[in-house]
Amino acid sequence: MESLERYHAEFARVPELVASYESIRKSASAVDVKKLPKREGSTFHADLRRGWIQGINLLDRMPVWVPHEIVHYATAGEFGEDRYFQTSSTGLAAGNSYSEAVLHGMCEAIERDCSTLWRLRNPAVQQLSRIDLASVSDPRCLTLIEKLKAAGLGVAAWETTTEIGVASFVCRIAEPESSGPSPYEFTDAAGCHPSKEVALARAILEAAQGRATAISGARDDLFDDYYEPVGRALAEKLHNDLLSGQCFRSFQHTPSFDGDIIESDVSYVLGKLAAAGIQDVVAVCLTRSDFRIPVVRIIIPELEDGELNDCYSPRGRAIRAYRGRS
């Protein structure tokens, strides 16, 4: 499904409109570009003509124009010198149905926001959100945790849910202490979903997937420095912190919602975003007639995206989190 998502975004439909931001705002609705993630050091020119593509704001069902640059997943060179917006795969989602793709995309956008804000906090503050895995009662999550432990791996999880109120977690797994310093000593991953059980399972599975990918060497964006082993002293400290660190939060206290149908989950997440003051949740349909597999790009301009990205530039929510006020 990830391969399908990337393919659809790499070959997204051409811009439906070429105009300056200044002119398009006079006659139509367009997202506020000041809220979109920008590349560090870039300058936006409102009077410069650029490509636009139309999506639907899922909060009011009205059409809205968004820069083609943030919908199309491409390399920097394809946009010329005025490439302003940060390129990522956030919100790019496929599903068995349109609603499933929309839910997936919204959850990923929220997940990236939650993880970004959490990672920007002081480590001592982060630790206060560590989940007591003994408080987890979901059979699926327990099975996953036990499989990791049976393989000799350490596992820990932190709740990263923000004021939006959609369950989100970061999971970390560590190599066996007896294995010696390893290039993939620790693997972090995140998961988000209205159902806290699904969110935690996603975080655990994503961490396991990341570890397997690192071992296989299958990704072409993991360069040599990624495989440099950490020092023994540091590894031992990290292992000790992971295996014996104090847990402060119960899984039972995480907010959760489990709708009978996908559309109920979509409505729940949209309601949470609206209640948190989010004004735009834009869905751009990327479904192709030759595949007929639902694919969308979800754009939520106000949410943070990617403190680990080299070209990441913090915005309002990240700045407040860094200062400890959000």
Side-chain angles (χ1 to χ4, degrees):
M1 297 301 273
E2 287 189 5
S3 297
L4 285 166
E5 293 167 5
R6 295 294 181 96
Y7 179 85
H8 281 68
E10 288 174 1
F11 296 94
R13 61 184 189 268
V14 298
E16 297 165 327
L17 177 68
V18 177
S20 69
Y21 181 63
E22 193 174 62
S23 64
I24 199 173
R25 293 273 286 188
K26 293 178 181 178
S27 58
S29 176
V31 296
D32 185 349
V33 296
K34 293 179 181 178
K35 295 180 180 179
L36 293 170
K38 70 182 187 70
R39 297 177 67 242
E40 186 177 12
S42 61
T43 302
F44 183 77
H45 302 285
D47 58 345
L48 188 68
R49 286 164 58 86
R50 63 174 66 240
W52 299 83
I53 193 167
Q54 195 169 66
I56 297 294
N57 186 349
L58 299 178
L59 294 176
D60 60 13
R61 309 305 301 180
M62 297 298 293
V64 59
W65 292 99
V66 297
H68 183 263
E69 181 181 330
I70 65 171
V71 175
H72 180 42
Y73 193 78
T75 59
E78 294 186 52
F79 293 111
E81 295 181 359
D82 191 51
R83 179 175 172 242
Y84 175 80
F85 302 103
Q86 178 184 325
T87 299
S88 78
S89 61
T90 298
L92 182 58
N96 295 295
S97 67
Y98 177 77
S99 295
E100 188 176 284
V102 166
L103 179 64
H104 180 132
M106 290 194 300
C107 286
E108 183 173 76
I110 295 171
E111 170 202 304
R112 300 282 172 87
D113 176 77
C114 291
S115 298
T116 298
L117 301 186
W118 181 80
R119 294 184 196 281
L120 287 172
R121 291 191 177 279
N122 183 285
V125 177
Q126 291 179 2
Q127 191 63 15
L128 295 176
S129 65
R130 180 165 173 168
I131 292 290
D132 180 2
L133 295 182
S135 67
V136 177
S137 57
D138 178 64
R140 293 168 299 181
C141 292
L142 288 174
T143 297
L144 294 172
I145 292 169
E146 289 307 314
K147 283 182 177 293
L148 291 172
K149 290 182 176 179
L153 301 171
V155 56
W158 291 262
E159 185 188 345
T160 58
T161 310
T162 65
E163 87 287 357
I164 293 173
V166 180
S168 185
F169 298 92
V170 163
C171 175
R172 175 177 294 167
I173 58 178
E175 296 304 299
E177 290 185 273
S178 60
S179 66
S182 168
Y184 37 86
E185 192 81 41
F186 298 91
T187 306
D188 281 8
C192 175
H193 193 271
S195 165
K196 64 185 179 185
E197 293 83 5
V198 175
L200 180 58
R202 282 185 172 180
I204 296 170
L205 288 167
E206 188 76 13
Q209 173 184 304
R211 176 178 181 269
T213 303
I215 292 171
S216 69
R219 287 185 62 150
D220 57 10
D221 59 350
L222 297 182
F223 301 109
D224 291 349
D225 57 351
Y226 180 86
Y227 288 95
E228 290 293 328
V230 299
R232 182 70 271 171
L234 176 59
E236 289 178 354
K237 180 183 184 304
L238 293 173
H239 268 288
N240 183 65
D241 291 345
L242 184 74
L243 298 175
S244 60
Q246 188 173 355
C247 300
F248 295 90
R249 189 167 298 184
S250 170
F251 181 69
Q252 302 306 317
H253 294 160
T254 303
S256 189
F257 176 84
D258 190 4
D260 294 332
I261 56 175
I262 290 288
E263 287 73 19
S264 296
D265 289 338
V266 170
S267 296
Y268 172 82
V269 175
L270 285 172
K272 286 292 188 179
L273 288 166
I278 302 300
Q279 298 180 332
D280 296 294
V281 181
V282 183
V284 178
C285 183
L286 299 179
T287 305
R288 296 169 58 101
S289 59
D290 51 346
F291 282 94
R292 293 186 294 176
I293 296 173
V295 179
V296 299
R297 167 78 84 165
I298 298 294
I299 302 160
I300 308 179
E302 291 150 298
L303 299 189
E304 297 291 333
D305 179 19
E307 83 295 349
L308 300 179
N309 192 317
D310 290 340
C311 62
Y312 170 66
S313 181
R315 289 169 290 138
R317 288 172 63 80
I319 293 171
R320 290 192 296 272
Y322 184 77
R323 293 172 177 170
R325 298 208 307 265
S326 174

